[in-house]
Amino acid sequence: GYTTPQDTAGYTTHKRNKPTQQDFYSCGYPTHATNATSGTMVRALANSFYPRALRSLRTRLSSLQQSRKQPLSSTQGGDGTYYNSQLGQHIRISGAAGIRIHDVTVADGGQAQAELISKLCRVQPTTIDIGDVSLWTDDQLQELVAAFKQDSGADSGAMQLTAGVKDMTAFERWAAVSGLDAAQKMASVAVSCRTAQDSTEDVLADAREIVAASHDMGIQVKARIHDAFTNSNGDATDPYVVHDVVLGLADLGTDVLIVTDGFARADVDEVVEMIEALLWFDVAGESMMERLGYRGSLQGSLAAAQLGVTHFEASTLKESDHYVGAKELAGALEESGKELSLDWKTL
């Protein structure tokens, strides 16, 4: 206990000259405070050093609890969402939609023909990414949109067509393409962690404007985070830079966050360490478990899925030297007991 005035300097004392719990919360605590009750010290330490981690843990536990509940009340919808009264919006239940494959066959350089889009639609991935919107003429974009709408069941909102946008000019062009509602489109932004090592704020500047404009129009945004493990030279990326980039994008309201291991150089332990750290982030709106995605090796993908990641980018019809293909990935996930949102038999 505290027995001398010197020991309790700076604190409001009561009873046996021991500081109150509120004193610990508001004033911090000296090194000689180890004689305080263990419960108070644990709470003080936790609230001082780990507020974000604690809030994130509560968010994840709440999300897991919601995913295990049956729809017993009007606050939980039959579409895998529940209503968050604090945010005033419906939040998706983590894992309710199963594993979601975002197809990047065209974005990886596959020939963008209407026939290819129709074939990809039969597999029913969550999204079909046509790559940088500036690569296509207006007529080509309309042709791709027409094929997608005809074969995707777009009227039901089951799939989304994604286009990469580098700046607001590109976004406005994609948003103006007719034939699809805003909910049937997705905008994709790319962010490099290698560039972000100098200034995260500069890297996020374009994304901030695009995300805000997209959400104003009801269009979702996917961010692809490049160089999350190593860069093209094989140099390791500072994980704290990746944390800052992902957290910054999440705070902007980005709907899907794909962390990429572009050269499949990261081992499974590195992938697990990175994914675990990112899942702990506490953000407003959808939880990180519902937003976070991965693209890389097969073993890295399986490890990420085991941790609760549900978004994966993969190419359905084009082989890649660095990334696992959709067929191999979906087959391994199916064998591990994961539920897939795409049509596995058709794939």
Side-chain angles (χ1 to χ4, degrees):
Y2 293 83
T3 57
T4 67
Q6 289 77 16
D7 289 331
T8 57
Y11 292 102
T12 301
T13 59
H14 67 106
K15 294 186 178 178
R16 291 176 292 132
N17 289 330
K18 294 181 69 175
T20 66
Q21 186 181 82
Q22 184 59 39
D23 291 329
F24 275 90
Y25 287 165
S26 60
C27 303
Y29 39 88
T31 55
H32 63 262
T34 52
N35 288 328
T37 58
S38 59
T40 300
M41 276 301 297
V42 169
R43 286 191 294 272
L45 285 166
N47 280 274
S48 298
F49 286 118
Y50 306 111
R52 180 177 289 277
L54 285 176
R55 291 197 305 272
S56 181
L57 177 59
R58 287 195 291 268
T59 300
R60 294 183 67 191
L61 289 175
S62 175
S63 179
L64 289 171
Q65 289 168 353
Q66 287 289 347
S67 67
R68 286 168 171 77
K69 292 180 180 179
Q70 298 298 320
L72 299 177
S73 70
S74 59
T75 59
Q76 181 168 323
D79 57 350
T81 66
Y82 66 95
Y83 185 73
N84 185 311
S85 58
Q86 290 182 321
L87 295 172
Q89 66 186 70
H90 285 274
I91 301 297
R92 288 172 293 184
I93 299 172
S94 297
I99 298 293
R100 286 160 282 187
I101 305 294
H102 299 264
D103 182 85
V104 289
T105 302
V106 179
D108 278 357
Q111 190 174 4
Q113 297 177 339
E115 182 181 355
L116 174 58
I117 296 295
S118 298
K119 189 176 294 186
L120 292 172
C121 286
R122 290 177 55 201
V123 180
Q124 297 180 11
T126 299
T127 64
I128 296 176
D129 197 323
I130 62 173
D132 189 347
V133 70
S134 64
L135 297 177
W136 316 114
T137 67
D138 291 341
D139 289 341
Q140 288 174 324
L141 285 173
Q142 288 299 158
E143 183 181 353
L144 296 177
V145 165
F148 177 80
K149 186 171 184 179
Q150 178 179 340
D151 297 296
S152 67
D155 291 337
S156 65
M159 284 185 277
Q160 292 169 301
L161 193 63
T162 305
V165 294
K166 294 180 178 179
D167 50 34
M168 279 301 298
T169 300
F171 168 74
E172 289 168 358
R173 183 164 175 250
W174 174 234
V177 173
S178 61
L180 293 176
D181 294 335
Q184 297 159 357
K185 294 179 180 178
M186 179 178 276
S188 175
V189 298
V191 177
S192 170
C193 292
R194 182 181 183 182
T195 306
Q197 292 187 98
D198 296 327
S199 174
T200 303
E201 185 60 32
D202 290 344
V203 169
L204 297 178
D206 287 338
R208 175 178 289 101
E209 194 173 4
I210 292 171
V211 172
S214 297
H215 288 175
D216 285 344
M217 299 182 66
I219 297 175
Q220 289 191 319
V221 181
K222 175 182 72 174
R224 188 179 290 113
I225 297 99
H226 293 293
D227 306 317
F229 297 92
T230 59
N231 59 32
S232 58
N233 298 323
D235 301 323
T237 301
D238 183 349
Y240 293 105
V241 172
V242 184
H243 298 172
D244 287 343
V245 170
V246 172
L247 182 57
L249 288 166
D251 284 342
L252 294 179
T254 310
D255 301 282
V256 179
L257 301 155
I258 305 291
V259 177
T260 66
D261 179 14
F263 301 92
R265 291 177 176 144
D267 60 36
V268 174
D269 289 340
E270 291 174 318
V271 174
V272 168
E273 185 176 354
M274 177 65 73
I275 296 298
E276 284 184 333
L278 297 178
L279 287 176
W280 273 99
F281 285 141
D282 179 30
V283 294
E286 304 285 1
S287 67
M288 285 299 295
M289 188 175 287
E290 181 59 27
R291 298 193 213 186
L292 192 62
Y294 173 80
R295 189 183 188 193
S297 65
L298 174 61
Q299 294 305 316
S301 299
L302 292 176
Q306 196 65 32
L307 292 171
V309 172
T310 57
H311 293 279
F312 294 90
E313 276 193 342
S315 175
T316 302
L317 301 174
K318 187 175 183 294
E319 295 297 326
S320 172
D321 296 332
H322 306 299
Y323 300 117
V324 62
K327 185 176 181 180
E328 185 180 5
L329 173 61
L333 291 171
E334 178 83 5
E335 289 181 4
S336 68
K338 296 292 185 180
E339 183 179 352
L340 304 176
S341 61
L342 53 68
D343 188 335
W344 166 236
K345 291 183 179 179
T346 301
L347 177 63

